[in-house]
Every structure is written in C-alpha cells, then in structure tokens.
Amino acid sequence: MSTKVIEAEVVVLGSGPGGYTAAFRAADLGKKVVLIELYDVLGGVCLNVGCIPSKALLHAAKVIDESNHMKNHGIDFGNINIDTNKIVSWKDGIVKKLTTGLKMLAKQRKVEVIQGFGKFQSPNEILVEHDGDESKVVKFENAIIAVGSRPVKLPFIPEDERIFTSTGALRCEYAKGSMLVIGGGIIGLEMATVYSSLGADVTVVELAEQIILGADNDIVSPLAKILQKKCKNLYLKTKVVSAEAKKEGIFVTFEDDDGKSKQEIFDSVLVAVGRIPNGKLIDADKAGVEVTEQGFINTNSKMQTNVPNIYAVGDVVGHPMLAHKAIPEGKIAAENISGKNHHFEPKSIPSVAYTDPEVAWAGVTENEAKAEGINYSKGIFPWMASGRSLTHGRDEGLTKVIFNKDTNVVIGVGIVGSNAGDLISEAMLAIEMGCDAEDISLTIHPHPTVSETIVGATEMYEGTITDLISPNK
Ligand code: NAD
C-alpha cells in the first residue's frame, strides 16, 4: 500500500483535552495544524470514557439518592424504576453532542484530523497507520505529544468480560449483583458511588490506610463514613492477592496487613489502581525524545521536551493526570511554538473526587505542610453549622483553610461536601492571587450559601467567628 505525505507546521499527536486545545490554539495563532487521533472521535479519554460520561452517571446516582432521601421528608416518589440502558444511552448522547461539537470546531479552524496510530520516524516525521487505509507520513516543523495514559493492569487479574477498568464500568452492564472495586482512589470511588446507587452490592478494597491518599484524612473521612453505609464493605489496609474467573463468579482472595487472608465471590470486578503514561508506545526515541522508565516525557515550563521542536502536554508529562492540567499546558505549547514566551507555572492544581459528598483540595495539604516543616495554622468550619447545607439535608461537610502563620497567606484548602468541586475554584483564585486571611474574610459572600463556609473557616483561623465559638476563645 502506498504512503501519502502530509505537510504540517504543527502536528498534534492525541486529541484529548491537552491535544485538541493545543491544536485549536495553534490554528487560531495562524498555524497549519494536523491532529492525529487513533479513534474516530475527538476528545480522548476525558470526553469519551472518563470525566464527562462518569459525571452523567454520578448525576443519575445523585437523583436516585436524593429521591430516596426525601422519602423521610414528605416527598415519596414510590418505588424508583431504574432503566440502566436508558441512563447509558442518555450518557452516550451527551458524549456524542460534545464530540460532534469538537469535530465542528476542528473543521471551522481548518485543523486536518487524521485517524490512526502515530509513531515518530524522525524529529520531523510521524508515520500514521490505520487498518484498511493507506499509511501517511506527516512531515512537521513542530510536534506536540498529547498521548495520555492508560489504566494500570494487575498481573494476577485474569482476562474476563466481568472484569473491567473504568472504560468498561461506564457501560453499566453489571449494575446489579455484587461488585468489587479494587482501588480506593478517585476512579474507584466515583464508580462505587454510581454502582451502589444503581443497586449493586459494592465492596471497595484499598491497599492504604485511607481512601483518596492525596487528601488529608479529616477531609476524606466524611466520605468514608457515607461509603461505609452505602457499600457492603470498605476494606482498608487490604490487598487483592489473586483472582480466578469461574462460571459462578470471580473468586477473589484478600490479604490484610496482618497477613490474614479470605476469599469472596463477586459478579463483577472494577480494577482502578492508577494509570500509566503512554510515552513508550510512540517510538519517541526515533525523534530523540527521552522517555522515562515509567513512560513519562519530561518537559521544561514551556512544555518543550529535550528536542526543541517537540513539545509534550497532559498525562504523558507527569502527575497529576488531570484534564484541567492538560488544557493550559496545551495552550502554552501552542503559544510557544507560535513565537510567544509562555510558561506553565501554576501555584496549585486542584483535585476533585466527584463522589457524594464531593472531595476537593488545592494547594498544600496539612500532611504536606507538616512534612515540609511549614509554620502553618488552620481554620475548620463544619457544615453542620451551615444553614444552607442543612436545607440540602446534609450535615457531614467540612471546609478547612490552611494559612502560613508567618504571613497569614492562604496556602491550602480542603473541602468535603456537596459541590466541593465547584467551591474549590474560589480557593484556587485565593491561592493564585496570594490572598491573606482578611482578603477572604472581608469578601462579602452571599447568604445563605455553602460558599460562606470558606469565610467561616477563615474566621475560625482569625478568631473572629460569630456563627460558632472560636477555638481561640
Ligand atoms: P489512583 O492512583 O488515584 O488510586 C488508585 C488506588 O488504588 C490507590 O489508592 C492505591 O493505593 C490503590 N491500589 C493499588 N493497588 C491496589 C491493590 N492491589 N489492591 C487494593 N488497592 C490498590 O488511581 P485511579 O483512581 O485509578 O485514578 C487514576 C488517575 O486518573 C489519577 O491520576 C486521577 O487523578 C485521575 N482521575 C481523576 C478524576 C477526577 O479528577 N475527578 C477522575 C478519574 C480519574
């Protein structure tokens, strides 16, 4: 089969949030752009099998839970009839709307999209192959690698259709029966939230002593308590040591940290034990781009790799593997290629688990402040003192604001509660702007809102709180 040659000023490899943002920004800055994508839709993991579809399922879960909750408060919808197939097609429809939108945006910008798997042949050429099509060579001046990451596989887990990663979990084929979630990180817990609301008997197993390891334990524990009620079991300090797929189910053996083992049988198993970067899959060495042992590609703050005309963005350049890190990185790479001198130097990148309650944190955690020897202090506002939270029927939330004691400047915020993922944006702005305690506490927040809890936590730190008794009094 022949090979077609395509010329590009900028080629972008991978069309996730980092990749399509980079491609669109470069096109807007006047570059001739080619965007290479393995699948026949743009958007990558986040849009197709990650952030967006999971949020649709989490919304469905929330509606189910809130309907059940209101039974005790005067509204009884009767027995809720859950049609999982319909929920899944609604979710797929949302994804389709967004991927169609991206396709149009690419067309309007004259970004040429090529479907296939791209691999470097040299510092100026990428070979693109796709079943049944003639192969293509893209000759480029600059490249942006945005090839993302994939789920980690556990070597002792067998291949079986009842065992899946987050991609399979979004199909909701096993929404009834017993399910084991391996990994108490963000993906595992978001899916545990969805499946338990849909009616599955969910067990979560986590190796560490707490779920969501990156966050402080006080921020995570209200979620842990709710999951303990919602799920059949939440095993901590426990690892899965073997799994066997039989006709009757998946036989899983657990071992706790005392070395005691036990076996349980599940109808399905979700493996959510982290993601690994795809840096080793693209023959980067043929372009001279260095790839670490783990598969990451290092860049400078301009998102430039060790090869000056090749940039990299998103999951493949390092943790945290989050779309909202990839997007600004993609813009910066495109802008530097287009002659600007921009750097990716955020003070913080927020993390959010869209569980129920949501968990969000930004800046320095208390654990990190202790480990780094920072002279810090904190204010905590419990949401049981938030009138607005009580009107939502919820009292388990918590807002914690961490300050540098020497300067009174905010250095970190942790929030657990409904919509914590939205609330954390205020904390991000405060951290980015270098706000001190007064900047926050003297900013008028609307009443009644849960956003007031950020002021409340700051006033707890200052000792100026009137809604509670200050710990300093
Ligand atoms: P993770 O690394 O966040 O969590 C995996 C967990 O699995 C860890 O707590 C680990 O201790 C545990 N684990 C590992 N091996 C185990 C074993 N054998 N038995 C029991 N537990 C085990 O990984 P994830 O949840 O898969 O998420 C992957 C990436 O995707 C993360 O970088 C995350 O930030 C990102 N992500 C973010 C969002 C979001 O922003 N809402 C959503 C989904 C994914």
Side-chain angles (χ1 to χ4, degrees), residues 55 154 156 182-188 190 205-208 210 212-213 238-240 272-275 319-322 324 351-354:
K55 299 306 130 352
L154 292 172
F156 51 83
I182 308 180
I186 289 180
I187 295 183
E190 288 185 354
V205 56
E206 166 57 49
L207 209 52
Q210 74 162 60
I212 311 188
L213 267 182
T238 304
K239 64 181 174 196
V240 173
V273 294
R275 298 183 64 87
H319 291 289
M321 294 184 177
L322 298 169
H324 53 260
S351 295
V352 181
Y354 297 89

Side-chain angles (χ1 to χ4, degrees), residues 30 52 73 84 88-89 106 119 154 164 196 200 223 228 241 274 343 381 401 421 427 442 464-465:
I52 300 298
H73 305 295
T84 314
V88 169
S89 48
K119 284 183 174 180
L154 292 172
F164 37 77
S196 56
L223 169 65
Q228 264 149 1
V241 287
H343 296 258
F381 190 90
V401 186
L442 298 181
T464 57
I465 189 98

Side-chain angles (χ1 to χ4, degrees), residues 62 223 352-360 415-422:
K62 193 164 191 173
L223 169 65
V352 181
Y354 297 89
T355 41
D356 183 18
E358 293 182 357
V359 178
I415 307 177
V416 54
S418 306
N419 299 324
D422 289 302

Side-chain angles (χ1 to χ4, degrees), residues 255-269:
E255 195 178 284
D256 67 18
D257 67 338
D258 295 328
K260 269 192 238 140
S261 62
K262 65 175 168 189
Q263 194 178 60
E264 288 182 34
I265 308 167
F266 298 92
D267 295 323
S268 65
V269 175

Side-chain angles (χ1 to χ4, degrees), residues 41-42 63 218 238 242 246 249 267 300 307 334 354 370 374 376 421 430 449-450 460 462:
V41 283
L42 302 182
V63 170
D218 55 351
T238 304
S242 71
K246 293 187 187 171
D267 295 323
N300 59 21
V307 178
Y354 297 89
K370 279 180 197 152
I374 297 172
Y376 79 96
T449 59
V450 282
M460 289 292 267
E462 290 177 320

Side-chain angles (χ1 to χ4, degrees), residues 283-419:
D283 287 353
D285 55 317
K286 291 192 181 158
V289 173
E290 286 163 13
V291 181
T292 70
E293 192 47 45
Q294 292 166 295
F296 287 115
I297 294 174
N298 290 327
T299 69
N300 59 21
S301 61
K302 294 176 82 171
M303 309 315 302
Q304 202 169 24
T305 69
N306 62 304
V307 178
N309 67 322
I310 301 181
Y311 292 67
V313 302
D315 288 6
V316 78
V317 307
H319 291 289
M321 294 184 177
L322 298 169
H324 53 260
K325 177 180 80 80
I327 291 167
E329 287 178 346
K331 278 196 175 155
I332 282 169
E335 286 162 1
N336 286 324
I337 286 170
S338 308
K340 299 186 190 294
N341 183 19
H342 290 176
H343 296 258
F344 184 67
E345 290 170 331
K347 277 197 188 154
S348 164
I349 298 166
S351 295
V352 181
Y354 297 89
T355 41
D356 183 18
E358 293 182 357
V359 178
W361 67 103
V364 176
T365 63
E366 226 182 315
N367 289 339
E368 287 164 350
K370 279 180 197 152
E372 289 165 28
I374 297 172
N375 184 25
Y376 79 96
S377 190
K378 63 184 169 184
I380 293 180
F381 190 90
W383 287 26
M384 63 178 69
S386 157
R388 186 59 191 273
S389 184
L390 296 184
T391 66
H392 296 153
R394 305 296 291 256
D395 65 2
E396 77 281 357
L398 196 80
T399 297
K400 174 166 76 173
V401 186
I402 303 170
F403 295 92
N404 181 316
K405 238 173 142 177
D406 301 325
T407 60
N408 273 342
V409 168
V410 57
I411 54 170
V413 177
I415 307 177
V416 54
S418 306
N419 299 324

Side-chain angles (χ1 to χ4, degrees), residues 46-65:
C46 173
L47 190 41
N48 291 285
V49 287
C51 329
I52 300 298
S54 62
K55 299 306 130 352
L57 296 181
L58 281 158
H59 175 69
K62 193 164 191 173
V63 170
I64 295 166
D65 292 348

